[in-house]
Amino acid sequence: MFLSCGQLKLSLTRPLIMGVVNVTPDSFSDGGKYIELQHALTHARQLLAEGADMLDIGGESTRPGAAPVSLDEERRRVLPVVEALADGAIPISVDTQKPELMHEAVAAGASMVNDVFGFRAAGAFEAIASSGAAICIMHMQGEPHSMQHNPQYTNVVEEVRDYLVERVRAAVSAGIARERIVIDPGFGFGKTLEHNLTLLRNLRKFTDIGGALLAGLSRKTMLGKITGRDPAERVFASVAAALVAVQNGAQIVRVHDVAATRDALAVLDAVAQN
Ligand code: HH2
C-alpha cells in the first residue's frame, strides 16, 4: 500500500505524520507566528527534524468564522515557502481551495494539494490532474464563515462517507488515479462535538472508500470542549486523538505537534510488532 505523491511513493504500512505550517496571521492555534518567510521555514525545518513525513503549507485560515483571503495574498504567503522547501525528497502539500494556486504550487514543486472544499471549485481537479500530485479531499458542511452555526445531519457517518465516495469517483473520472487520493472526514468542519466523536468512533468505515485516510484533530475546538483548554495547551489531548485515529484506521495524521505525536506513534508501533 502506498500513496503516489508526484515523483515520490510513500509507504502506508506505518502511519505518516503531516506537520502543519500555517503562513497566516489568523490561524486558530498558531496564527501570526509563521507569517514571515524565515519564521515559516525555520518552523518547517523543525517539524522535519522532529520526524514529520510531509508538510502541509496553508496561507488561508479555515477556522470557523475566518475571512477569505485573496488569490494574490494567498499566493504571496504560500509560494515562497513551497519554493524554498520543495527539494524533490520531502512531500510538500499545499492547503488551498483555489484552482489557480493549486496549479502554481504544483509547478513550484508541491507534490500534494489539500482542499478542505473537496475540489468542488470549477477547474480544481483539472488544475492538478495531469501533474501526478496527490490530492486530499476533505468533507466540510457549509463554509468556514458559517459552518459551526448549526450543523445538521441525519446520519453523520453515512452522509460524510457518501460525500467522499462521490468525490473520489469524480476525481477518478477527472483522471486522478486512486493511489494519488487521500480522503478526510473533516473534523470540526460543520460538525458538533457529538458529530466529531461519532466520526472518530466510526473512522474504520472510511477505510474501504479507495483513498488513504487522513485525520486532522490537532488542537481542535472539540478537544478544547473535552479538556477545557486553550489551543496551545491541547498537545496531550491532540496526541491522544491522533492515537485513537490511527487505531481506528487513519493512515496519515495532520498535526501541529510532531515530536509528541511521533513518540506516541512509536509506542503504538512497538506494541503492534508482535
Ligand atoms: N484542518 C485545518 C486546516 N486544513 N485540512 C485537512 N485535510 N484536514 C483538516 O482537518 C484540516 C485541514 C484547520 O487547522 P489549522 O490549519 O491549524 O487552522 P486554520 O485553518 O485556522 O489555519
Side-chain angles (χ1 to χ4, degrees):
M1 252 191 327
F2 66 89
L3 174 68
S4 183
C5 232
Q7 302 300 312
L8 304 166
K9 297 248 181 295
L10 307 183
S11 168
L12 296 169
T13 48
R14 67 167 182 83
L16 300 179
I17 297 182
M18 171 187 265
V20 179
V21 180
N22 283 323
V23 197
T24 58
D26 58 343
S27 286
F28 79 95
S29 78
D30 53 5
K33 283 175 82 175
Y34 312 116
I35 189 80
E36 299 284 331
L37 175 62
Q38 281 316 318
H39 292 170
L41 294 179
T42 303
H43 181 57
R45 292 188 178 116
Q46 175 68 28
L47 296 185
L48 291 170
E50 291 177 9
D53 298 292
M54 56 173 83
L55 296 174
D56 191 33
I57 319 296
E60 177 176 44
S61 172
T62 51
R63 75 181 197 290
V69 170
S70 72
L71 171 61
D72 268 354
E73 178 59 18
E74 197 178 337
R75 181 188 268 147
R76 199 191 57 74
R77 292 177 186 174
V78 165
L79 290 182
V81 181
V82 174
E83 280 158 8
L85 292 173
D87 62 356
I90 312 158
I92 302 292
S93 162
V94 168
D95 188 346
T96 185
Q97 307 175 41
K98 297 186 178 71
E100 298 89 337
L101 186 56
M102 292 176 184
H103 185 77
E104 292 169 22
V106 168
S111 49
M112 178 161 167
V113 174
N114 170 28
D115 182 0
V116 300
F117 197 58
F119 296 85
R120 285 177 282 160
F125 284 139
E126 293 74 11
I128 41 84
S130 62
S131 71
I135 64 168
C136 178
I137 302 173
M138 199 197 79
H139 174 274
M140 167 167 64
Q141 185 182 84
E143 292 183 9
H145 69 94
S146 58
M147 67 190 177
Q148 289 307 106
H149 288 175
N150 186 20
Q152 302 266 353
Y153 299 85
T154 307
N155 181 324
V156 67
V157 175
E158 270 179 25
E159 286 166 51
V160 174
R161 199 179 182 288
D162 287 351
Y163 169 86
L164 292 172
V165 167
E166 183 278 320
R167 295 314 294 152
V168 168
R169 240 182 242 139
V172 170
S173 345
I176 300 166
R178 271 176 200 275
E179 68 251 26
R180 289 169 60 192
I181 301 177
V182 177
I183 53 167
D184 177 354
F187 290 100
F189 285 84
K191 285 138 192 135
T192 62
L193 172 59
E194 203 41 61
H195 294 141
N196 288 317
L197 291 174
T198 304
L199 286 169
L200 189 51
R201 269 180 215 120
N202 289 280
L203 208 53
R204 204 158 283 286
K205 294 186 179 153
F206 294 84
T207 53
D208 64 352
I209 292 178
L213 181 58
L214 182 147
L217 292 142
S218 186
R219 299 192 188 177
K220 286 201 170 158
T221 300
M222 63 179 283
L223 304 178
K225 288 200 168 132
I226 295 169
T227 61
R229 295 192 186 280
D230 290 337
E233 297 170 347
R234 295 177 191 158
V235 181
F236 306 125
S238 299
V239 170
L243 276 190
V244 175
V246 167
Q247 287 195 303
N248 287 356
Q251 292 159 300
I252 306 172
V253 282
R254 181 182 182 279
V255 305
H256 301 86
D257 303 291
V258 170
T261 309
R262 178 94 278 157
D263 279 4
L265 291 179
V267 175
L268 195 63
D269 188 47
V271 174
Q273 306 293 325
N274 191 8

